[in-house]
Amino acid sequence: MGNSGSNSKWWERAQKVLPGGVNSPVRSFNSVPGNPVFFQSAKGSRFTDEEGKCYIDWCQSWGPMILGHADPEVQAAAMEAMEEGTSFGAPSRREVLLAEAFLNRMPHFEQVRFVSSGTEAVMSAIRLARGFTGRDLILKFTGCYHGHADHLLVDAGSGLATFGTPSSGGVPKGFTDSTAVLPLDDIEALEAFFTEHGNKLAALIIEPFPANAGLLIQRPEFLQKCRELTTKHGALLVFDEVITGFRVGPAGAAPLLGITPDLGTYGKIIGGGFPVGAYAATREIMGHISPLGAVYQAGTLSGNPVAMAAGLATLEKTGRPGFYEDLERKGAKLEAGLRAATADTGITADIARQGSLFWNVFQAEAPRSFEKVDGSRMKIYGRMHRDLIDRGVYLAPSGWEVGFVSAAHTDHDIEATVAAVAETFKSWSSDACQT
Ligand code: KE4
């Protein structure tokens, strides 16, 4: 298809016309050796690059492709919708159908609004929480990523709550003055924060399974404390489920944890590979969003009919009996294989996993907070990433990101991946950089 050329040729051209050669920074291979491979096409668990080389893909477009790439039913649904037009800027039945399918899976919510990205979903949910409570302050956690809205691009030291200082250029200090940041997995710090600031807090936002600084699985009691303290102080609890929604279970993390958030944000899977984000809450809270209420939010391509069709086909297929059980079986098989491949190699490593989300971490025990992630070990991840690319296995090009098992991954894919990892580690044990 097209003049394929080589990865390096496309990379050279890309850097001339796209900042950093990419349309999203994490694709740039900045934190792993080598340069990006250019995807030419993808199908199921695999993709082919511009040089015709095939890879087993465990990044899966960062989460949307839970069915695998180019799922035939999703493709057909999108094509069918396309034949009826691609964008109306007016209500269409598919928006209602996806909203109904979404809410059927989320009994704790009564209404949903579709937007075009996870960032937009989170930005809108925070604005809604502030409008609903009449308060400005929001609380996030170090290591949690909620998209690139200015007030959420905030970082902070660990330990005590600090008021956010922008962790991105171009964000005025004032934009983050109302964003507080705490470390994950620290109940004392959380309680101290609420004692001092609880009655000023509009919302606490958290990824229920933080998956943007590795997979930092939280203790249930920490998440329960977030729910208890937000309720006590009249603040809203926002679960950012852009990754976990429809990923870690039929309805995502909330029902799995037995915690009902006030607002949820979604993306990735609900678009089936097309740009879709969403936020959901009770009718009471959603009643504050325009055109019903004073909180404004809009979008030209929100509820795009083709994207709705792809999302609907994806939700329908993931709703079939045994879908998540099969994902769990494959996730467990991959985890067991990776652990076996590491055993007796002298390499210090662990695997964090929640269903079909997994993280290879070169530490003795997968940490629960950003502060406990040993960044110096990411170079080992980078070495593994490079060696696996050479062996036709593609992981996320950053040790801070997680891997995704899809329904399209086969036992053979898992066995081939485990064999490639074992071969890689064995090749290491013969050289001085034992890790
Ligand atoms: P998008 O705007 O990228 O659709 O969603 C932002 C977002 C919000 N919340 C969570 C929990 C997220 O993980 C994300 C986006 N995730 C990253 C990968 N870790 C997207 C990949 C990228 O930035 O290119």
Side-chain angles (χ1 to χ4, degrees), residues 140-142 157-161 181-186 189-190 222 369 371:
K140 76 175 286 288
F141 295 88
T142 42
S158 57
L160 293 179
V181 190
L182 277 176
L184 289 164
D185 192 39
D186 186 339
L190 190 66
F222 179 74
S369 69
E371 290 72 19

Side-chain angles (χ1 to χ4, degrees), residues 24 26-27 62 117-119 122 145-147 207 211-212 240 242-243 268 401:
S24 197
V26 74
R27 305 176 189 172
W62 308 97
S117 71
T119 293
V122 172
Y145 174 69
H146 302 292
E207 296 174 63
N212 281 287
D240 180 353
V242 168
I243 285 185
K268 297 182 192 275
E401 301 285 349

